[in-house]
Amino acid sequence: MNNNYSACTSILVGRKATTDGSTLIGRNEDAKSAWPKRFIVHEHQKLAKQQKFISKDNNFQILLPKERLKYTATPEWTDKFGLFEEDGINEDGVAMSATESTYANNQVLGADSLVKNGIGEEAMLTVVLPYIKTAKEGVKRLGKIVSEYGASETNGILFSDCKEVWYFEIGSGHNWVAEKIPDDEYAVVANQMAIQNINFDDPINFQWSPNILEFVNQNKLNINRKGFNFREIFGTQDQSDTYYNTPRVWYGQRTFNPKIEQNPNSQQLPFSQKAEHLISVFDAQSFLSSHYQGTVFDPLGTGTKTEKTKFRPISLAKTQESHVLQLNGNLPQQIGDIHWLLMGVGAQSTYVPFFAGITDTPEEYQYPVGKDYDPKSAYWIYKLVGVLVDPHYLEFGEQLSNVQNQLVQSYIQIINETIQASDNLTGKELNKLADKQSNKAAIMAMDSFKKLASQFITQSTDFSPLNYHQDLNL
């Protein structure tokens, strides 16, 4: 098993667990410290005949339906290694985030190995999201693909619509399960098989690959005398999990259930919990931007060097982008659904609200950036501030926090304005409003971070080790 420790952290929240009745799914896309992302909108498309998707990554191939829904996506700066569109919302109000990297144990993979040219992360959003009308349809479409074509990786995938939130896990080459998050609960996932007990008599709340029970029984993979615990049958419970994965789940559950005492190294943390208080979209963003604040494990805190480096933080230098996909069924889909997108490192950037009705994105977000720094790219506009803050966190941290807080207040004002302005609007009028207000928020965010970078560069000139502070009274 080749563990690639560049991975993600996810959060899923049911509609009765949020402050406004929205469903929430969010994830940090963690891979490389300098690997630019873009943000685009794919238009609704009707074709005369089916098109074949061919992956540049592993030659996975599949015929696609003739009609493709409009959807948002965050592809990488290059498609040399595949598309990696990762996260988006389609025009029918379905959101998807793919993927949360997970790891299966050797016994499982020995019985059902991964498929070299099966579906992988880079292709998932592209071949699923534009062709589904509900979250459960997403589960079924992806499940059918994994069962028939096989999977090249073990992964977790997040689906939502305004009513339901689903988490889907690939456990081996052809085996998978999915669980609906209870409406009044949340789940935090961190690079480890997460789903626990499967109820095969409840297809309303669970879905699974057709032959999974037979597969497990024939290969004698169930370590328990009773029940079917997917995490324990398919997953890993090794030393790397206790330092790299479970502490992030522990911190998420500590955040939303502070009264519950749990061990950060525990392999038995529950998949989902009922939070002590309702969760807002900003709470979800705060979690994805966190780094064990309030504990000795905070890399920026006051713990010992050993404590501060013991666990892998949630907000990481290798985060390319982070997103929270908010779906509110009480408003028109074009306005009620919001693709909150943060470029760069969560703790050092800002989640910008893009209404799902947008037909385009600002040029800085879709700019054909290369791998290296380019001030024309939205990714680098935000990333630059983080680079400048890193060596001078004590000097710049408060200024960054002030700007982040002010932007959140401005986003709330823009959202409220948009909701009020959407009264009596329909169709393309709502799309036009979504474009205008999303652009307003994005320009405000980019201008704020450009100004902040300018200030930090100017102030940094006085931090040189060659500096000398002369007594001007001499």
Side-chain angles (χ1 to χ4, degrees), residues 7-8 13 83 98-99 115 152 182 199 201 212 225 262 265 282 297 409 416 460 472:
C8 310
V13 191
L83 294 176
T99 67
V115 179
S152 62
N199 184 350
D201 294 321
I212 193 168
R225 291 183 175 88
Q262 297 183 130
N265 299 125
F282 304 108
F297 309 119
Q409 295 169 33
N416 289 337
S460 294
L472 298 179

Side-chain angles (χ1 to χ4, degrees), residues 92-117:
D92 275 356
V94 184
M96 178 178 176
S97 178
T99 67
E100 178 75 32
S101 300
T102 60
Y103 304 97
N105 61 60
N106 290 329
Q107 293 92 322
V108 165
L109 293 179
D112 181 26
S113 60
L114 297 172
V115 179
K116 186 177 180 180
N117 63 343

Side-chain angles (χ1 to χ4, degrees), residues 335 355 413-423 433-434 437:
I335 301 301
F355 296 98
Q413 293 168 4
I414 289 174
I415 291 170
N416 289 337
E417 289 173 3
T418 307
I419 293 172
Q420 291 176 3
S422 68
D423 283 347
L433 177 64
Q437 296 296 86

Side-chain angles (χ1 to χ4, degrees), residues 103-371:
Y103 304 97
N105 61 60
N106 290 329
Q107 293 92 322
V108 165
L109 293 179
D112 181 26
S113 60
L114 297 172
V115 179
K116 186 177 180 180
N117 63 343
I119 190 169
E121 175 176 352
E122 72 86 16
M124 281 189 192
L125 192 98
T126 309
V127 303
V128 175
L129 182 60
Y131 309 106
I132 55 177
K133 294 182 179 293
T134 67
K136 197 167 186 177
E137 272 191 29
V139 168
K140 290 182 176 182
R141 176 170 173 79
L142 180 58
K144 188 172 187 289
I145 292 172
V146 172
S147 295
E148 293 184 8
Y149 295 83
S152 62
E153 307 156 344
T154 51
N155 282 312
I157 299 91
L158 297 71
F159 290 100
S160 64
D161 53 39
C162 66
K163 294 181 179 179
E164 297 185 346
V165 176
W166 284 81
Y167 187 61
F168 182 113
E169 285 191 310
I170 300 170
S172 62
H174 303 85
N175 288 286
W176 57 271
V177 298
E179 181 175 349
K180 176 181 173 292
I181 306 301
D183 291 342
D184 61 350
E185 294 189 9
Y186 73 94
V188 170
V189 187
N191 301 129
Q192 189 178 26
M193 298 285 182
I195 295 175
Q196 294 173 298
N197 297 307
I198 305 298
N199 184 350
F200 292 101
D201 294 321
D202 183 8
I204 293 176
N205 294 299
F206 295 90
Q207 293 281 294
W208 52 88
S209 49
N211 302 313
I212 193 168
L213 266 174
E214 181 183 359
F215 167 76
V216 169
N217 291 334
Q218 283 186 349
N219 291 284
K220 298 176 172 55
L221 297 171
N222 196 342
I223 63 173
N224 298 308
R225 291 183 175 88
K226 294 181 179 181
F228 190 101
N229 188 311
F230 181 79
R231 180 195 296 177
E232 294 182 355
I233 296 170
F234 283 80
T236 59
Q237 293 90 37
D238 56 30
Q239 193 74 358
S240 64
D241 290 317
T242 61
Y243 290 95
Y244 192 79
N245 301 330
T246 62
R248 286 178 279 155
V249 178
W250 164 79
Y251 188 74
Q253 296 189 0
R254 179 183 185 272
T255 299
F256 300 117
N257 292 93
K259 294 178 183 177
I260 298 177
E261 292 286 339
Q262 297 183 130
N263 187 323
N265 299 125
S266 172
Q267 299 283 354
Q268 301 302 320
L269 297 173
F271 172 50
S272 64
Q273 293 259 45
K274 186 172 182 177
E276 289 182 13
H277 59 80
L278 295 175
I279 298 171
S280 74
V281 66
F282 304 108
D283 292 330
Q285 293 170 10
S286 179
F287 165 70
L288 292 174
S289 303
S290 66
H291 39 85
Y292 302 118
Q293 295 100 310
T295 78
V296 295
F297 309 119
D298 185 354
L300 302 176
T302 57
T304 66
K305 182 178 180 181
T306 300
E307 289 169 333
K308 293 195 290 185
T309 57
K310 188 174 184 178
F311 300 142
R312 186 265 210 207
I314 294 158
S315 180
L316 193 69
K318 288 181 169 58
T319 301
Q320 297 170 265
E321 56 87 18
S322 181
H323 52 272
V324 176
L325 309 179
Q326 178 183 18
L327 309 182
N328 187 336
N330 296 317
L331 295 166
Q333 188 271 333
Q334 297 96 322
I335 301 301
D337 295 354
I338 301 178
H339 190 146
W340 293 87
L341 180 63
L342 174 150
M343 293 287 196
V345 180
Q348 300 168 336
S349 187
T350 182
Y351 288 88
V352 179
F354 290 91
F355 296 98
I358 56 173
T359 60
D360 204 359
T361 60
E363 59 180 306
E364 294 90 343
Y365 278 82
Q366 54 184 294
Y367 176 72
V369 62
K371 181 179 180 293

Side-chain angles (χ1 to χ4, degrees), residues 432-460:
K432 186 176 180 181
L433 177 64
D435 280 329
K436 175 185 174 183
Q437 296 296 86
S438 300
N439 196 57
K440 180 179 179 181
I443 290 174
M444 178 189 302
M446 288 188 290
D447 286 349
S448 295
F449 270 69
K450 287 176 185 177
K451 183 178 179 180
L452 201 54
S454 177
Q455 292 171 350
F456 288 166
I457 290 171
T458 302
Q459 293 172 40
S460 294

